[in-house]
Amino acid sequence: MPNAVVRKIGWRDLDELAPRLSGVSVVGVSLRRRPCGGVLSSVSLADTSIQVLRGAPMLMLASSRPGRTTLVRALDGAGRARWNGTPVGADRVVVCNASRQHQAVYPDDFACLLLSFGEAVNDRIAAGIADTEARGRVAGQAQEGDAALRELDRISRAVENLAGRPDLLAHPGAAEGLRASILDTAGAVLAQSQPMAGHPARTASARQHLVHAADDYLRANPARPVYTEELCAAIGASATRLHQAFHATFGISPHRYLKLRRMGMVRAMLLSLSGPWHSVKAAALSHGFWHLGQFAHDYRDIYGELPSETLARARPTTVEPGAPGSGETQRRGACGRAVPRAAL
């Protein structure tokens, strides 16, 4: 097998994190008024990858990437985490595949393990995955104190250490040994897991459908604000049903979710070099943030910087006088320092 690819990176934004997750596709928003960010440690071994993600409170909509299945295990600080509205404690592992969509909420600073497999895995893994899909399970509960879970935790700690010392896996024999340990341990976890108790399948599925339909509608309308009333009409749900779905899934109201997602969409627009936004003011107003001072305050609480600083990092060149938005962006002085032109 080829040598292992080992990386350890810091990340500041969920949009920066998402493409670096090898097994899952995610859309996420920060949950708390505090700077977002964390560390991602990764080891890629041919068709298998193992990642340890550390981050601040967030919620995510997730599914495995095509052709891959991912096991997710809560580690440090994730005792209150929920997947698909069900608590995931120290004795549980989530099975995430591309055929189903998932919702996760981490209300505290957390760490989680993501173990991702391609289609060419050993028979034990393939059988465990097939059994999970056949039973309609999206998560499993292993026996309390199970040796396989303890071994999985030991591997996760080793991965964080290895990510800082890539030379330790430079020899193909070492990489092959780690891959074999991962496959054996994951196979044991899958074989011994049981379906998780939670909401009745039909009710949980309906709630998941509403949550994903709401987010799909948001992404289909990125350049304007969307509020609860419009959302209910668009997806054919009452305000009560929508509130119940979001509260059961994420523990927050649809209104709070919409605000957090719109804040994230503004940030994505400000960071996009190809986007149409030449000013913070235009981006904020277009997404329904009419109180610009409060928007700047909330934005800084979540992302640790003013929106004008985000825009300046993405567009460091001087805006010519008279260009659209030149009154709200930052200009560069003769010494190269950013000179703020707006209160945001």
Side-chain angles (χ1 to χ4, degrees):
M1 66 177 289
N3 289 342
V5 179
V6 183
R7 296 189 178 92
K8 189 169 190 175
I9 63 163
W11 55 275
R12 294 183 57 185
D13 304 306
L14 292 169
D15 288 338
E16 178 185 359
L17 170 67
R20 298 178 184 273
L21 297 175
S22 59
V24 290
S25 174
V26 302
V27 174
V29 297
S30 299
L31 267 183
R32 297 276 181 84
R33 289 187 171 183
R34 55 178 298 178
C36 185
V39 177
L40 181 67
S41 303
S42 306
V43 177
S44 298
L45 304 157
D47 59 344
T48 301
S49 71
I50 181 168
Q51 297 181 302
V52 177
L53 170 63
R54 293 187 178 274
M58 69 176 71
L59 59 82
M60 293 182 284
L61 303 178
S63 64
S64 275
R65 298 190 187 279
R68 302 193 70 83
T69 296
T70 300
L71 306 186
V72 185
R73 173 155 170 74
L75 299 173
D76 305 338
R80 296 198 299 154
R82 298 170 67 90
W83 272 71
N84 304 325
T86 303
V88 287
D91 59 346
R92 290 172 176 172
V93 174
V94 175
V95 181
C96 185
N97 51 48
S99 63
R100 295 183 178 88
Q101 295 175 312
H102 305 270
Q103 309 86 43
V105 56
Y106 293 94
D108 307 299
D109 288 350
F110 72 95
C112 67
L113 172 69
L114 299 99
L115 185 54
S116 175
F117 309 98
E119 297 176 345
V121 294
N122 64 28
D123 293 341
R124 193 178 188 187
I125 295 290
I129 292 172
D131 181 59
T132 296
E133 293 174 343
R135 296 187 190 185
R137 286 191 283 165
V138 294
Q141 179 173 348
Q143 298 175 5
E144 185 175 356
D146 183 77
L149 287 178
R150 293 197 299 270
E151 178 64 12
L152 202 58
D153 293 346
R154 187 191 68 81
I155 291 174
S156 70
R157 291 192 294 271
V159 165
E160 290 194 281
N161 292 331
L162 289 169
R165 291 285 309 279
D167 57 297
L168 296 178
L169 287 179
H171 194 284
E176 181 64 30
L178 175 58
R179 180 176 178 273
S181 295
I182 291 171
L183 294 179
D184 287 346
T185 303
V189 169
L190 285 169
Q192 298 175 19
S193 66
Q194 300 296 324
M196 288 175 58
H199 302 293
R202 184 173 298 178
T203 301
S205 177
R207 287 171 174 166
Q208 291 174 30
H209 174 76
L210 284 179
V211 168
H212 283 272
D215 196 76
D216 288 344
Y217 188 77
L218 273 177
R219 284 191 278 178
N221 297 274
R224 64 180 183 82
V226 174
Y227 299 101
T228 304
E229 184 177 5
E230 176 186 346
L231 192 57
C232 288
I235 66 177
S238 68
T240 299
R241 284 184 62 212
L242 193 66
H243 180 87
Q244 290 173 342
F246 273 89
H247 191 270
T249 302
F250 293 133
I252 61 175
S253 68
H255 176 79
R256 175 67 174 159
Y257 178 81
L258 290 174
K259 180 178 179 179
L260 290 170
R261 280 290 277 126
R262 292 203 318 272
M263 189 81 70
M265 293 166 80
V266 170
R267 183 171 179 80
M269 291 291 184
L270 295 178
L271 288 170
S272 175
L273 294 176
S274 59
W277 310 107
H278 298 283
S279 73
V280 170
K281 180 179 178 180
L285 292 175
S286 295
H287 285 80
F289 294 103
W290 55 271
H291 192 311
L292 299 182
Q294 186 63 47
F295 166 76
H297 180 272
D298 292 344
Y299 187 99
R300 183 171 57 185
D301 280 348
I302 293 175
Y303 298 112
E305 65 180 7
L306 289 169
S308 58
E309 294 171 328
T310 302
L311 184 62
R313 285 195 294 112
R315 303 170 185 267
T317 55
T318 302
V319 178
E320 294 296 330
S326 61
E328 288 79 27
T329 56
Q330 292 186 330
R331 58 183 174 83
R332 298 279 169 177
C335 62
R337 289 189 305 152
V339 181
R341 290 290 303 273
L344 296 180

